[in-house]
Amino acid sequence: MPIMPDHWIRRMAAEHGMIEPFVESQRREGVISYGLSSYGYDARVADEFKIFTNVDNAVVDPKAFSEKGFVTRTGPVCIVPPNSFALAHTVEYFRIPRDVLVICLGKSTYARCGIIVNVTPLEPEWEGQVTIEISNTTPLPARIYANEGICQFLFLKGEAPPDVSYADRQGKYMRQRGVALPKL
């Protein structure tokens, strides 16, 4: 399962709309880097954040998720409280080819500050804006910058297309825009 290089990512973005909007090179002047890299694409975090809070004594339950457990903030910066968690989404919209699996890695700039990013893999033929899970593992408030890099996506090309793709099975997070909350 080879990892795909920059020229393949660029071609797929141009010819198949795999990433929109697409930034053809790394942008890094005064920002946390984003755009095309040698073997991946550094996506940006949008300016909508859902920050988990315990103001209403909500319980986090993936089978019965309640919006009482977080507050929504929009803006150029999000402050994630100490030892807390936030949801956000990518600026970019992805359309994953049938024979490709995409995995996500957090950016080292944030990781070195105790800010961990986790997303599930992007499965073959999934499309949408990616919901990003951000954990502040420190005892200090952490600042996240909207419209700057948050994570890197790596594109792995399978030996052959799968028998059943995410689109074939009508996955529940297909074509999501904005922050997609847990669904059963």
Side-chain angles (χ1 to χ4, degrees), residues 2-19 22 36-41 94-102 153-158:
I3 187 167
M4 303 311 288
D6 52 4
H7 56 88
W8 180 89
I9 297 167
R10 184 181 298 112
R11 180 174 56 81
M12 294 301 289
E15 295 175 10
H16 302 283
M18 185 174 76
I19 304 169
F22 180 73
L36 184 63
S37 63
S38 301
Y39 282 99
Y41 188 86
F94 291 82
R95 291 176 186 86
I96 307 307
R98 188 173 182 93
D99 60 349
V100 171
L101 175 72
V102 180
F153 291 98
L154 304 178
F155 300 80
L156 304 171
K157 191 168 176 81

Side-chain angles (χ1 to χ4, degrees), residues 1 13 16 35 54-55 60 69 76 86 112 136 142 145 147 157 165 174:
M1 189 172 247
H16 302 283
N54 198 21
V55 171
V60 176
R112 292 168 195 222
N136 176 5
Y145 293 92
N147 297 304
K157 191 168 176 81
S165 73
M174 189 67 159

